Amino acid sequence: MTDVAPPGFTPAPLSTPARTATPAGRPLMLCLSHLRWGFVYQRPQHLMSRLAQSYDVLFFEEPLFAEHVQPQLLASHPAHGVTVLVPQLPAGTPHDQVIAMQRDLLDGYLAQHRDAELLLWYLTPMSLAFTDHLHGQVTIFDCMDELSAFMGAPPELIERERQLLARTDVVFTGGQSLWEAKRHQHDNAHAMPSSVDIAHFAQARALLPDPADQAAIGHPRLGFFGVIDERFDIQLVDELARQRPQWQIVLIGPVVKIDPQTLPQRANIHYLGAKQYEQLPHYLAGWDVALMPFAINASTRFISPTKTPEYLAGGRPVVSTPIADVISGYGTSGVVSIADTPAAFIAAVERALGAEARDSVVVQADAALDGMSWDKTCNAMKEQIECLR
């Protein structure tokens, strides 16, 4: 996942007028999300901001809780045609009432748009708890990850997904291996791997100014951007830093669901925190090799990391642990090395640092990215949706 938040996300009272008017008569795309628009800029934001060219997008997030408040919806407009809706509920509300309050708030909002054609886009099956009474012209399940394998997944998620699949018209998966698993559960499932904004990350191929918090870090630099969570191989990064103290490891992204105290602390490991999407090419431009040190566990079995094409668009060689979709998608590219042990990982980085590798990486990266774009992915999804309307 790309680890950034676009600027301008400031929740406002629902009565605040939209910044821009949208054409009348457009379908209403209700996206039910477990991810916040303002946390990390990744697949949902890329897709919804593009789908907003054809649909009025409502991005409905999980609740926020506060003391001494009445249930209400907070709204913001982070992109043209996109309205983010966040339920704000009283702290301490019992779970069954949380569900009922979300249902009531959403129904109240949709009542203002009762004449619009409704399309339902689920990012999480858990949202079915307060939307199972809604009937969209088309119901879409964008299964971007195997959420049941993630740390802290609700025990009822598997059953909710079964229910959602039974009523879904089309399923999109975030990668090929996830499609292999879901195609046996739904007869209209399509692999729609996450893509890349090539022009954005290609800025890293130019000589960009080094960000202030990276400028003093020496070379060679090995970099990673993304969420640092249970999918991150802490031991591998520690071993890499221990065995090659002259290598500087730059880690960009928030630490989520794991104790920050468990992260390795060495002089050549640099935690720079979360960055804005617009900043990422500037950091990437200063790296010699891009890293994907994912742990091999249940939470990474079906992932299709968006950072692979983002690194390549930036013209950087990549070293990754053996993630299935990385192997199938980029394993023969010549610019993405796969390593299954610390020793193999170190050897792959050493090869990537070689002069010959640097000379050939851009050509190989361009070949690996040929024909890839978020526009193409989004258009393929829209075609499936329009066929069902």
Side-chain angles (χ1 to χ4, degrees), residues 54-324:
S54 303
Y55 314 114
D56 289 341
V57 172
L58 299 179
F59 192 85
F60 197 91
E61 296 185 356
E62 292 185 338
L64 292 174
F65 295 90
E67 300 287 346
H68 311 301
V69 299
Q70 292 297 315
Q72 62 178 323
L73 280 179
L74 303 179
S76 63
H77 309 279
H80 179 78
V82 176
T83 299
V84 173
L85 298 175
V86 185
Q88 186 180 57
L89 307 180
T93 302
H95 177 70
D96 59 341
Q97 292 184 36
V98 168
I99 298 300
M101 288 176 180
Q102 289 181 91
R103 184 187 298 258
D104 289 344
L105 288 170
L106 180 57
D107 285 352
Y109 190 92
L110 292 178
Q112 304 173 37
H113 305 270
R114 64 177 74 252
D115 294 331
E117 179 183 356
L118 181 64
L119 309 176
L120 299 174
W121 182 294
Y122 286 87
L123 289 172
T124 170
M126 296 305 294
S127 297
L128 198 60
F130 59 90
T131 61
D132 57 359
H133 64 298
L134 297 178
H135 299 284
Q137 181 70 21
V138 183
T139 298
I140 305 108
F141 179 22
D142 187 15
C143 184
M144 58 184 286
D145 288 302
E146 184 58 77
L147 296 178
S148 63
F150 282 20
M151 184 183 297
E156 64 270 30
L157 193 150
I158 293 177
E159 174 58 21
R160 286 290 184 195
E161 182 174 293
R162 186 193 66 77
Q163 295 169 3
L164 179 58
L165 287 168
R167 60 191 294 156
T168 291
D169 297 303
V170 61
V171 176
F172 302 134
T173 66
Q176 187 70 22
S177 59
L178 194 52
W179 174 77
E180 292 286 350
K182 299 302 177 185
R183 68 189 180 96
H184 301 294
Q185 301 173 37
H186 198 280
D187 60 6
N188 192 26
H190 305 268
M192 296 287 180
S194 293
S195 193
V196 60
D197 183 344
I198 292 177
H200 179 69
F201 286 96
Q203 297 175 77
R205 300 185 182 194
L207 187 61
L208 299 178
D210 224 354
D213 56 351
Q214 183 171 270
I217 299 173
H219 287 267
R221 287 184 196 153
L222 319 180
F224 167 89
F225 56 63
V227 177
I228 300 172
D229 57 14
E230 75 269 26
R231 296 169 295 176
F232 194 75
D233 193 331
I234 295 171
Q235 289 72 32
L236 173 60
V237 171
D238 188 41
E239 192 65 16
L240 188 64
R242 185 188 70 82
Q243 292 195 35
R244 293 295 185 272
Q246 73 276 22
W247 292 353
Q248 305 302 313
I249 301 175
V250 177
L251 303 176
I252 291 175
V255 178
V256 177
K257 294 192 291 185
I258 61 174
D259 184 355
Q261 299 301 315
T262 64
L263 298 175
Q265 302 294 325
R266 295 185 182 274
N268 59 333
I269 302 179
H270 310 272
Y271 298 96
L272 302 188
K275 305 299 176 185
Q276 296 289 333
Y277 183 71
E278 292 78 8
Q279 296 174 288
L280 292 183
H282 289 264
Y283 285 91
L284 183 57
W287 299 350
D288 300 292
V289 178
L291 305 179
M292 296 205 301
F294 289 109
I296 304 303
N297 57 32
S299 67
T300 61
R301 181 181 175 189
F302 298 110
I303 65 171
S304 183
T306 58
K307 58 186 54 58
T308 316
E310 291 170 350
Y311 289 159
L312 295 180
R316 294 300 177 269
V318 180
V319 180
S320 175
T321 48
I323 299 301

Side-chain angles (χ1 to χ4, degrees), residues 355-372:
E356 184 177 346
R358 287 198 300 272
D359 291 341
S360 61
V361 65
V362 170
V363 173
Q364 293 171 322
D366 286 345
L369 296 174
D370 185 40
M372 188 180 296

Side-chain angles (χ1 to χ4, degrees), residues 26-41:
R26 302 202 312 170
L28 197 63
M29 174 76 77
L30 174 60
C31 178
L32 298 142
S33 178
H34 60 296
L35 301 170
R36 299 206 181 278
W37 186 282
F39 177 53
V40 293
Y41 200 85

